[in-house]
Amino acid sequence: LKPSWRRRNPFQRTPCQLRTPCTSIHPAVSRRTMAPLEELMKTSGAAYGFEWALDGGSLRMVKSAGDDDGIIYSDMSAMAKFPPGQGCVGKAFASKETIFIKDVSGASDDFWRKQNAMEDGLQSIAFIPQENSVMELCFLKQLGHPPSLAEPDAGGYVVEDHGAILASIPDIAKIKGEVQAMMDKLGYRANTADAPDTRDQGNTDKWVPRDPRLNRLTGIHPFNCEAPLSVLREHGFLTPASLHYVRNHGVCPKLFWHSHTIEISGLVDKPMQLTMAELVT
């Protein structure tokens, strides 16, 4: 698990203040009610997020989210401070308007963390004022416009790049080879039904891929189903995930690889919160 504090370079210079505008200002997405950093990351698809709040007359990072352990940009952000009205963080705070860096590589050299952002592969960054703080959302792909903070239309299973996620998992080629060998041995047959069921049109699960042959046990919604025995027999010993039985009490959650975490708490010796990346390493 990542520690709350990581060792810093004692010889690194202190942050300078930005002297020129970072990029465009977007008032249309500026005034919103307060939302948790993790929720903003979930709805926007950001890889990393930072919350900045006033401390001694300057804005300092008070929280980070995402799998940012070992990320230079995160380390440098923990050292930075911005007076209101200075730097992208300070300007977003003072103006109460979102500041959006569409292309990090094209940002002004006065953007103090620009080099760190480029080294860590950040493509776009948004600074969003939220009452008495600023939320900084960092993206690993370039956005054409400021991120939408509305509820996403679909979950990560549909909209995320599965190939990129798999490539980030250590020894994935070996794992896939072992799994494929097992499936071949057991005669696994994939299920090609991978589109939403037309019966879900108009409800909150309209984005979820579902096999229309599944027997719905409690009406259309919430989704509770079982596969017909004849369909299960077609696929032999290994049942494709799309034919598993389902028990739901509500909507299908919209989860994302970079923002979803699993919390282990209660009567345990070491409560913890694990990211998806930590679960596969």
Side-chain angles (χ1 to χ4, degrees), residues 201-272:
Q201 291 180 357
N203 70 45
T204 55
D205 286 355
K206 61 185 179 182
W207 62 275
V208 184
R210 287 173 175 156
D211 193 315
R213 297 174 296 175
L214 294 171
N215 293 324
R216 301 200 177 204
L217 307 176
T218 54
I220 298 300
H221 186 78
F223 186 62
N224 291 281
C225 72
E226 295 174 355
L229 287 177
S230 58
V231 175
L232 293 177
R233 292 192 186 100
E234 291 177 9
H235 291 273
F237 186 76
L238 289 179
T239 304
S242 54
L243 293 177
H244 287 184
Y245 73 86
V246 177
R247 294 294 181 268
N248 273 333
H249 293 282
V251 301
C252 185
K254 296 172 182 176
L255 307 179
F256 297 86
W257 177 268
H258 291 294
S259 59
H260 182 58
T261 59
I262 295 178
E263 182 177 347
I264 302 173
S265 60
L267 299 177
V268 296
D269 293 333
K270 295 177 64 176
M272 63 183 68

Side-chain angles (χ1 to χ4, degrees), residues 17-23 25 59 82-99 110 127 129 134:
Q17 300 167 357
L18 298 185
R19 296 183 294 276
T20 59
C22 298
T23 184
I25 295 177
L59 290 143
F82 301 96
Q86 305 218 7
C88 290
V89 173
K91 289 177 180 178
F93 180 82
S95 68
K96 300 303 179 186
E97 295 181 331
T98 292
I99 292 179
D110 284 338
F127 302 86
V134 172

